[in-house]
Amino acid sequence: MNKVDRAALGGEPIGQRVVLLNEHAVPIGSADKLMVHNTSTALHLAFSCYLFDQSGRVLVTRRALSKVTWPGVWTNSFCGHPEPGEALEAAVERRARQELGVEVRGVRVVDPGFRYRAVDAGGIVENEVCPVYTATISGTLSPHPEEVMEWAWVDRSSLARAVMSTPFVFSPWMVLQMRRLQWASEPDPTGPESVFPGAVRT
């Protein structure tokens, strides 16, 4: 079994457990997060979150090159896993602090039924029921360097169109989420712009 190291999973506490699910998305137990991600990853519960600023722009992040899976790809603001017994909304708030060093407010689910399976070039599998959330930033970003190497605030419809035209640049879960959210069909509230203006590098 391939074991994913702690740093690659984002500096979260050793011994963190994830919620295992059956094919009907019903919890059936838990497992150590560091052990569950391998070449035959069991179905488990996760979440994705898209973080907005006061101007309505969405945060995109570039995964650190030290990540075991999909290093260097652009993706949604942040992701994570609820611990056994932890509410998803609480997990979103916790993970925002861990990964981005920031508080969030207005956590809202926008796609509760999202599920995907993807295999990284290295063979590690992601296999998740992964509800999609949005939230609004409250504070100043301070991303964890083991998680994020660059980030940018962008217009969401421009982002969605970029994902559709160059999906290989982005994480596979984000590509699938963009298709379901249909942000590409929405008008740009701030007008046409580059998708990655002034990306911030750590």
Side-chain angles (χ1 to χ4, degrees), residues 158-190:
S158 296
L159 172 63
R161 288 192 290 270
V163 171
M164 295 303 101
S165 61
T166 56
F168 50 85
V169 176
F170 301 93
S171 66
W173 57 90
M174 184 178 179
V175 173
L176 295 171
Q177 290 165 2
M178 287 287 102
R179 291 173 182 164
R180 292 165 64 97
L181 292 172
Q182 298 183 334
W183 286 348
S185 63
E186 297 180 1
D188 292 350
T190 57

Side-chain angles (χ1 to χ4, degrees), residues 30-49:
S30 66
D32 189 293
K33 180 181 176 182
L34 300 183
M35 298 301 296
V36 76
H37 290 86
N38 52 68
T39 55
S40 57
T41 300
L43 182 65
H44 59 281
L45 183 60
F47 64 84
S48 292
C49 186

Side-chain angles (χ1 to χ4, degrees), residues 17-114:
R17 302 187 71 80
V18 299
V19 178
L20 301 178
L21 305 173
N22 66 17
E23 285 300 311
H24 302 288
V26 175
I28 56 173
S30 66
D32 189 293
K33 180 181 176 182
L34 300 183
M35 298 301 296
V36 76
H37 290 86
N38 52 68
T39 55
S40 57
T41 300
L43 182 65
H44 59 281
L45 183 60
F47 64 84
S48 292
C49 186
Y50 291 82
L51 188 60
F52 288 84
D53 67 7
Q54 300 300 325
S55 299
R57 298 176 303 172
V58 64
L59 179 70
V60 290
T61 57
R62 188 179 178 200
R63 291 167 64 84
L65 293 178
S66 59
K67 300 283 281 185
V68 169
T69 58
W70 291 279
V73 304
W74 286 91
T75 191
N76 59 292
S77 307
F78 64 99
C79 297
H81 303 80
E83 298 178 349
E86 183 180 30
L88 275 163
E89 290 78 5
V92 171
E93 294 172 351
R94 169 180 57 80
R95 188 62 180 149
R97 292 189 293 268
Q98 289 177 334
E99 185 167 339
L100 300 177
V102 73
E103 299 292 333
V104 299
R105 57 182 178 81
V107 176
R108 181 172 68 94
V109 64
V110 293
D111 189 354
F114 180 69

